[in-house]
Amino acid sequence: MNGLISLNRPMGTEAAAGKNPVSHVGKIYNVLAHRIAKKLYERIEGVREVYVLLLSRIGTPISEPQVATAQVLLERGRRISDVSGMAGGIMAKELASINAFCRELSRGKYPIC
């Protein structure tokens, strides 16, 4: 999605460009995962890196992923218990507003490469 080949890091292989921004879960989750990771990184003090994984299940609403998880790498001295509540809150809020996100995505608010 961001034009990089990410060696030794988690990466999706979904081609997001040209897909339906309202119903194509691969595109939606790909862009949303980047957005959530950016928010976690910017809003939580002491975060060095963030990887967000969203996994869909056929027949399930997009607001209810099979898996929604974040891998957070912290600065020395920080503990996961310091950030887990805030991270979970950010992820829950983003998933709760996924319909508005899809509308923004369809209007081109989030560039795809």
Side-chain angles (χ1 to χ4, degrees):
M1 190 189 93
N2 58 10
L4 299 174
I5 298 172
S6 56
L7 302 174
N8 297 321
R9 294 198 168 165
M11 141 181 128
T13 56
E14 184 64 50
K19 303 294 192 299
N20 185 326
V22 175
S23 64
H24 193 277
V25 74
K27 178 175 190 152
I28 295 165
Y29 280 2
N30 197 335
V31 178
L32 184 59
H34 276 266
R35 174 182 154 119
I36 293 171
K38 184 175 191 262
K39 285 188 176 191
L40 294 174
Y41 179 79
E42 291 174 347
R43 294 183 182 177
I44 302 175
E45 186 178 336
V47 171
R48 285 190 1 229
E49 295 180 33
V50 181
Y51 303 99
V52 174
L53 174 66
L54 300 173
L55 176 66
S56 66
R57 182 175 185 177
I58 295 172
T60 304
I62 61 170
S63 59
E64 300 173 18
Q66 174 86 19
V67 174
T69 188
Q71 178 183 7
V72 181
L73 303 176
L74 301 173
E75 293 175 355
R76 186 176 299 268
R78 298 284 290 177
R79 294 181 175 196
I80 198 66
S81 60
D82 298 336
V83 302
S84 60
M86 189 171 190
I90 291 170
M91 290 184 73
K93 184 176 180 182
E94 290 297 312
L95 288 169
S97 61
I98 198 164
N99 291 330
F101 171 78
C102 289
R103 286 191 297 277
E104 293 171 346
L105 186 60
S106 70
R107 289 193 287 267
K109 182 174 180 178
Y110 306 100
I112 309 297
C113 283

